[in-house]
Amino acid sequence: MKEFAAKFDIEQSNPFLPRLVQLFDVSGDGTMSIYEFVVCLSQFHQSKTHAEHIFFAWRLFDTDDSGSMERQEFIKIVSSTYSTNFGAKVTTADRQGHGLANFGGVGGRAKGLDTMLKMMDEDGDDRISITEFVKIIKKFSHFMAPAFDLWEKMQAFSAPCNKMYKEITAAGHVKELLALAKSEATTRGGGVG
């Protein structure tokens, strides 16, 4: 993780870093091969849409890959992101003063995470779906900034991998590349731990 953070100029205290490394470890074997690196980094090229940026943010927030975000996932990532990166006081209860919902505002009632979660959870099932997540991003887009900052850092390095991925695709070998990326290190002959 330290090597990954240094390569992409990501603070080791960034709460998204462990999840980002986990997403790059496609095979889930605890190592990152060149194949996984090429496949994953090529996804950050400049022609991606806003919807793809949102999906990337969703993948960072849905830390257990369940397809929905539980209250504790949301609270953990938002509070650690904002207290680490901005020194913001993050609480689950509403309060007077600055907060996530009136970020940069003066005074007023700041929405706590519980209120934001209630606003997000339209169907009341105590989980946030990707559809609900997309809607809340439109209302509270500022709390996605750290995820979008990570996207930009990855994008700065993606051009060579994107070029290689396109060449492999044009040569008709993308299935083999994806198979190698998904295989464990012992099968593919090693990786970077």
Side-chain angles (χ1 to χ4, degrees):
M1 195 161 348
K2 184 187 259 187
E3 189 178 339
F4 188 91
K7 172 65 182 159
F8 296 107
D9 192 29
I10 300 169
E11 294 289 327
Q12 287 191 34
S13 61
N14 186 317
F16 288 122
L17 180 61
R19 177 66 175 149
L20 186 60
V21 170
Q22 180 186 20
L23 290 172
F24 266 69
D25 181 16
V26 177
S27 67
D29 66 357
T31 64
M32 189 183 310
S33 72
I34 187 68
Y35 310 112
E36 290 168 306
F37 188 78
V38 168
V39 168
C40 292
L41 196 56
S42 68
Q43 303 306 305
F44 291 92
H45 60 86
Q46 291 185 2
S47 63
K48 293 290 184 174
T49 66
H50 184 66
E52 289 165 310
H53 288 202
I54 291 171
F55 185 69
F56 169 69
W58 168 256
R59 295 293 313 274
L60 292 175
F61 274 82
D62 182 18
T63 58
D64 63 2
D65 285 322
S66 66
S68 63
M69 186 180 10
E70 316 302 326
R71 178 181 186 274
Q72 288 309 316
E73 283 177 288
F74 180 76
I75 289 171
K76 180 181 176 188
I77 201 76
V78 171
S79 23
S80 59
T81 299
Y82 281 90
S83 62
T84 300
N85 294 337
F86 303 107
K89 180 178 177 172
V90 179
T91 63
T92 56
D94 292 354
R95 62 184 175 78
Q96 285 297 120
H98 298 284
L100 291 177
N102 69 343
F103 209 72
V106 177
R109 194 97 176 120
K111 289 179 179 53
L113 297 180
D114 283 336
T115 299
M116 289 177 69
L117 280 165
K118 284 178 190 167
M119 292 172 68
M120 292 168 81
D121 187 15
E122 292 178 339
D123 60 9
D125 66 354
D126 293 327
R127 292 187 307 258
I128 307 305
S129 69
I130 189 165
T131 305
E132 292 167 328
F133 184 76
V134 169
K135 288 179 183 176
I136 206 69
I137 286 175
K138 292 177 182 172
K139 189 165 191 154
F140 301 113
S141 62
H142 54 272
F143 85 83
M144 299 309 309
F148 294 138
D149 289 345
L150 268 183
W151 178 284
E152 288 177 359
K153 286 181 184 249
M154 307 310 294
Q155 188 178 53
F157 293 93
S158 69
C161 289
N162 187 41
K163 181 180 177 194
M164 185 183 299
Y165 189 85
K166 284 181 178 179
E167 290 170 359
I168 291 168
T169 301
H173 297 293
V174 75
K175 286 183 182 178
E176 291 92 341
L177 174 65
L178 294 175
L180 284 167
K182 291 178 183 177
S183 64
E184 293 186 13
T186 54
T187 306
R188 66 178 176 252
V192 178

